Amino acid sequence: MQTLFIMIDTCSLFLLLGLLVSYGENTKAIQNITLDGRTLVTIDMLDALRKNLTDLATELIEQNSKMNEPVFFHAKMPAAQVDYNKNSIVKFSSILNTDGNIFNHGDSVFVSPVTGVYLFSWTMLTYSGKSISTELRVDNVVKATLHASLGMAVGHVSVSKTAICRVAKNEHVWIQTGDSYIGNGFDYDAGSSSSFMGALIYKI
């Protein structure tokens, strides 16, 4: 759908540019066409048409340039073991990759710059004897959940979840702990920690 829209916009853009060129070449001839003493096309009409075509061409150029802009982020938790209470937003304070100011490392909330279908994925690292419950929320609506509960002497274990969902422009997306456990144990081991990423698949 996105590819078709780009093709249509591109074709329209070339058509509009062609009309603008044609305007410049043919204005003098058109202004002299008369019928029964009346001018069929006036200079004012042509000037208004040129302005409208110029505005449309500019808008199409801006739309095509924005359509190719990537939207993504990737962040991870700090290098430390930490326990979260239930119903708490998980803080991914270390940003690995991002495009624009769309992921706030302070509150770890992603703000959607455009309406579209997004892919989100998060990995939780925990350790022996710990339990962990997390949720992906879009404007406080739960879209997916991820749980893990480890026995003793299991070691370090990471679990991941991927979700694809529609997100409207300016909606907020985050990971938070569920209401199952009081102590959600997030681990750090040998340079590995929990992480959160998101990417735009296509615009709507």
Side-chain angles (χ1 to χ4, degrees):
M1 181 182 298
Q2 184 180 12
T3 302
L4 178 60
F5 182 71
I6 294 173
M7 291 174 61
I8 293 174
D9 275 355
T10 303
C11 292
S12 301
L13 178 58
F14 281 122
L15 176 60
L16 289 174
L17 291 176
L19 287 172
L20 288 173
V21 172
S22 176
Y23 166 85
E25 293 179 352
N26 297 319
T27 300
K28 197 167 187 179
I30 293 175
Q31 69 179 345
N32 292 325
I33 299 177
T34 57
L35 180 64
D36 296 332
R38 293 172 296 172
T39 301
L40 295 179
V41 182
T42 67
I43 294 298
D44 289 341
M45 292 170 61
L46 288 171
D47 284 338
L49 175 61
R50 181 181 61 175
K51 183 179 184 304
N52 290 337
L53 291 175
T54 302
D55 291 343
L56 282 173
T58 302
E59 183 179 351
L60 286 172
I61 291 172
E62 291 177 351
Q63 287 180 355
N64 280 331
S65 63
K66 290 180 179 180
M67 192 162 292
N68 295 323
E69 293 179 357
V71 178
F72 67 91
F73 70 90
H74 185 201
K76 67 177 183 178
M77 295 184 69
Q81 288 184 343
V82 59
D83 286 351
Y84 273 77
N85 203 345
K86 58 183 179 181
N87 301 318
S88 300
I89 295 179
V90 181
K91 298 298 180 65
F92 302 91
S93 56
S94 178
I95 296 179
L96 302 176
N97 294 287
T98 186
D99 179 73
N101 189 26
I102 58 176
F103 185 81
N104 188 325
H105 71 277
D107 59 16
S108 297
V109 173
F110 165 72
V111 181
S112 172
V114 295
T115 299
V117 174
Y118 289 79
L119 180 147
F120 297 102
S121 181
W122 71 106
T123 297
M124 302 290 105
L125 179 63
T126 188
Y127 53 101
S128 298
K130 288 292 185 176
S131 297
I132 194 169
S133 173
T134 54
E135 303 169 340
L136 172 71
R137 291 190 173 231
V138 177
D139 265 18
N140 213 30
V141 176
V142 177
K143 295 297 183 178
T145 59
L146 175 61
H147 306 275
S149 183
L150 304 184
M152 300 303 296
V154 175
H156 308 275
V157 175
S158 62
V159 291
S160 299
K161 187 66 173 285
T162 299
I164 296 176
C165 52
R166 183 187 185 278
V167 182
K169 182 178 180 180
N170 293 326
E171 284 190 330
H172 295 64
V173 183
W174 67 87
I175 300 294
Q176 77 173 46
T177 55
D179 57 5
S180 300
Y181 310 116
I182 295 177
N184 292 271
F186 293 86
D187 193 15
Y188 173 81
D189 178 59
S192 297
S193 60
S194 301
S195 61
F196 179 33
M197 64 83 64
L200 174 67
I201 301 176
Y202 64 87
K203 296 181 183 180
I204 299 177

